[in-house]
């Protein structure tokens, strides 16, 4: 029987390169002989994708309170963990997830939800399913904004001010500082190849593979 899989999460500001890294990373891990699934939050299951749509693109002129938004993220996460992440890990697969609980800690605390409330909900929902490694793609928000503009996509978060993006960056760096055993900060302004190289180095040194 295969051993328990490995759980890797990617975090960072908008347009930091998470999706780009996931593509290269999953290929590299597959090439090492592991089964890999890639997924994202909010989302990853049928119900969680519905929650994502409700949370990120609510009907025009409607909005969620910060606590309601945090609960929606965790509702989606609970379904995702139960139906996709834990079964994959139990089957010995590696799970690479684009955003996870640190995004709730970062974004929803900036929105005004008390950190202790967020942590209490997180503990209940994760129930011990904590990432083996979290890669935080870090960069000056101005440089990331330029990439977003070039890509031409917008959502409810992406219209917020630079100050907000600076808060997001600071929140992720604080998480990395608080949990150095789990988190690795990667300079997201390097080339995609270099970002992947550093990521694989972090996996080699921090994630024990079988
Ligand atoms: N959110 C929340 O509030 N609470 C939660 O608990 C969770 C999420 C889970 C949607 O997330 C929103 O949900 C998010 C937080 C909130 N807020 N926002 N916005 P999302 O992950 O779906 O959206 P995103 O963060 O904006 O992801 P993204 O747009 O997909 O960006 P990305 O995946 O990090 O970047 P990318 O698509 O790989 O790259 C962006 C562009 O840069 C693209 O043109 C690439 O070709 C280019 N790129 C990427 N890497 C490089 C390098 N290294 N060099 C040069 N160019 C590059």
């Amino acid at each position: 029987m295969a051993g328990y899989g490995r759980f890797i999460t990617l975090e960072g500001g908008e347009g930091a390169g998470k999706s780009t890294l996931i593509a290269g990373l999953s290929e590299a891990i597959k090439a090492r002989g592991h089964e890999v699934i890639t997924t994202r939050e909010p989302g990853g299951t049928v119900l969680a994708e519905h929650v994502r749509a409700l949370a990120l693109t609510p009907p025009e002129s409607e909005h969620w309170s910060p606590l309601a938004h945090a609960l929606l993220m965790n509702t989606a996460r609970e379904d995702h963990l139960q139906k996709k992440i834990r079964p994959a890990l139990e089957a010995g697969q590696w799970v690479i997830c684009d955003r996870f609980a640190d995004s709730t800690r970062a974004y929803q605390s900036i929105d005004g939800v008390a950190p202790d409330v967020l942590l209490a909900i997180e503990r209940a929902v994760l129930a011990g399913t904590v990432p083996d490694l979290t890669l935080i793609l870090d960069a000056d928000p101005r440089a990331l904004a330029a990439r977003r503009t070039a890509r031409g996509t917008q959502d409810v978060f992406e219209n917020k001010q630079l100050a907000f993006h600076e808060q997001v960056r600071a929140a992720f760096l604080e998480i990395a500082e608080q949990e150095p055993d789990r988190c690795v900060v990667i300079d997201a302004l390097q080339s995609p190849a270099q970002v992947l190289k550093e990521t694989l180095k972090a996996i080699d040194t921090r994630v024990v593979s079988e």
Side-chain angles (χ1 to χ4, degrees):
M1 196 179 91
Y4 205 69
R6 299 290 180 271
F7 185 22
I8 298 174
T9 56
L10 272 60
E11 301 279 7
E14 294 89 292
K18 299 178 297 299
S19 313
T20 304
L21 175 58
I22 279 188
L25 183 56
S26 78
E27 286 313 308
I29 294 174
K30 274 182 207 159
R32 293 175 171 198
H34 301 290
E35 278 187 56
V36 183
I37 65 157
T38 62
T39 188
R40 70 169 182 179
E41 289 211 345
T45 61
V46 173
L47 289 181
E49 289 291 336
H50 279 283
V51 175
R52 178 188 178 95
L54 261 184
L56 298 187
T57 48
E60 213 172 317
S61 43
E62 292 292 329
H63 71 277
W64 297 103
S65 74
L67 180 59
H69 208 194
L71 292 169
L72 283 173
M73 295 297 160
N74 278 289
T75 300
R77 183 162 302 129
E78 162 68 10
D79 196 64
H80 192 202
L81 277 162
Q82 213 184 95
K83 294 179 183 163
K84 191 168 188 177
I85 295 175
R86 289 194 195 107
L89 292 171
E90 280 158 15
Q93 297 174 335
W94 285 50
V95 176
I96 308 175
C97 190
D98 188 342
R99 296 196 181 279
F100 190 62
D102 296 316
S103 280
T104 311
R105 286 195 207 175
Y107 287 93
Q108 276 60 64
S109 66
I110 292 166
D111 281 350
V113 184
D116 59 334
V117 170
L118 291 173
L119 281 179
I121 302 170
E122 178 185 311
R123 267 195 289 275
V125 172
L126 266 57
T129 309
V130 174
D132 295 295
L133 178 69
T134 296
L135 300 149
I136 294 177
L137 297 189
D138 174 65
D140 181 337
R142 287 177 192 82
L144 294 184
R147 280 191 196 167
R148 277 202 305 284
T149 306
R151 193 177 31 163
T153 54
Q154 296 274 302
D155 66 26
V156 288
F157 288 91
E158 290 178 331
N159 290 323
K160 289 190 182 176
Q161 306 292 326
L162 178 65
F164 169 78
H165 296 292
E166 280 169 344
Q167 280 181 292
V168 171
R169 182 186 196 191
F172 281 122
L173 291 176
E174 194 181 329
I175 292 168
E177 211 176 290
Q178 286 165 348
E179 298 190 42
D181 290 344
R182 174 173 67 84
C183 301
V184 172
V185 178
I186 307 259
D187 175 3
L189 296 181
Q190 303 176 97
S191 69
Q194 191 61 28
V195 170
L196 176 60
K197 193 174 164 194
E198 279 200 19
T199 297
L200 290 171
K201 193 173 148 200
I203 287 173
D204 286 340
T205 52
R206 294 177 179 239
V207 181
V208 183
S209 69
E210 293 172 346

